[in-house]
Amino acid sequence: MRRRPAALAVVAVLAAGCGLRAPRALKPATAEGLLGELAARRAAVVSLRARARLRTGVGGLWVREAVLVRRPDAVRVDVLSPFGLALAMGAQGDRLWAYPPSERTRYEGPATPENLTRVLGVPIGVADVVDVLLGLPPARTPTGRAELTTRGQEYRLRLPLADGAQTIWFAGDTLAVVRAEETHPGSTLTVAFGDYRDGFPHSVEVGATPAGAGARLAYDTVEPNAPLDPSFFAPPPASRVLPIEAAGRPPG
């Protein structure tokens, strides 16, 4: 019987050594407060210059990229190879373009979700791409009262939309966005954020069904609020210009 306290002490020491800790307490939050926090984060980071690695599709290879983002609707992605620029693509407002230097051809068209799928692999609008690349779920205006619940160590915020719903999960201790899901009749968009450093997620994953599209982005370097001239997002000159629908087809 005298050995029991000593045994319990040993167990406690072993548990501490194995990293067993009590769950962190949930940080107090309300639906209105979390919505305000999202709005504040959007206002705090309005541009981004980054180096990243992108992987699309199941079993796809990692591709190195240079990324420029500027609110509200400007994106440029340069796909890099060991020999230099392999592909430049961008969007500004309602214009989308892609330019493979080896072809000396620029493909361009309206920045619709369908065309963005052709270029980026995910069927979302330009403003949504900007939000996601800046580390936030796409901005939505709820049509009713937001509902906040807790599950485990996370907060779950559900926003009713005109034809669906957006659900956002927040880490209970930091209130950082963990993931989001947007559902509409016949389609679902998912976004996940991780590897937070200095309050910014360095890992972003996007998926869409039923299209089966998906992409994973890992930031290597990040410069929030970088000064970016609008000309950075303008399409480069080319010998010929073709519709964006022709991208990926053999030259005619």
Side-chain angles (χ1 to χ4, degrees):
M1 296 297 294
R2 292 180 181 179
R3 295 181 179 179
R4 187 174 182 182
L8 292 176
V10 170
V11 171
V13 171
L14 291 175
C18 292
L20 299 178
R21 298 177 181 177
R24 295 181 180 180
L26 291 175
K27 190 174 182 179
T30 64
E32 294 75 14
L34 290 176
L35 289 174
E37 181 70 19
L38 289 175
R41 293 175 189 176
R42 288 190 177 93
V45 181
V46 297
S47 66
L48 179 75
R49 188 200 315 269
R51 291 284 179 141
R53 289 163 290 127
L54 177 72
R55 186 173 69 181
T56 59
V58 178
L61 299 177
W62 288 99
V63 177
R64 293 196 174 275
E65 299 182 334
V67 181
L68 300 176
V69 187
R70 185 173 182 266
R71 290 196 185 277
D73 55 8
V75 177
R76 174 166 179 157
V77 177
D78 287 356
V79 179
L80 308 175
S81 76
F83 308 101
L85 179 65
L87 172 68
M89 50 191 175
Q92 190 170 26
D94 59 358
R95 185 184 193 187
L96 175 69
W97 57 266
Y99 175 70
S102 61
E103 298 180 22
R104 298 181 181 179
T105 299
R106 187 175 75 241
Y107 302 90
E108 65 177 48
T112 63
E114 292 76 17
N115 285 337
L116 280 162
T117 302
R118 293 185 176 95
V119 175
L120 300 178
V122 181
I124 56 178
V126 177
D128 296 343
V129 174
V130 169
D131 263 332
V132 170
L133 291 178
L134 293 181
L136 292 167
R140 297 291 183 261
T141 301
T143 57
R145 184 176 180 180
E147 176 186 341
L148 182 65
T149 57
T150 58
R151 184 173 183 179
Q153 295 299 111
E154 294 180 343
Y155 284 108
R156 175 182 179 272
L157 182 67
R158 185 181 184 277
L159 308 178
L161 306 178
D163 60 345
Q166 183 188 63
T167 305
I168 307 171
W169 287 263
F170 299 80
D173 54 347
T174 64
L175 303 185
V177 178
V178 177
R179 61 190 183 281
E181 179 182 272
E182 187 169 322
T183 56
H184 299 277
S187 68
T188 301
L189 174 70
T190 59
V191 185
F193 303 96
D195 189 18
Y196 275 86
R197 304 178 214 168
D198 298 324
F200 190 90
H202 283 59
S203 173
V204 180
E205 294 186 47
V206 183
T209 57
R216 181 180 179 186
L217 184 75
Y219 285 117
D220 295 319
T221 62
V222 171
E223 183 186 354
N225 293 321
L228 300 176
D229 191 271
S231 63
F232 292 170
F233 304 94
S239 300
R240 61 176 181 169
V241 178
L242 296 176
I244 197 74
E245 294 84 358
R249 298 177 188 170

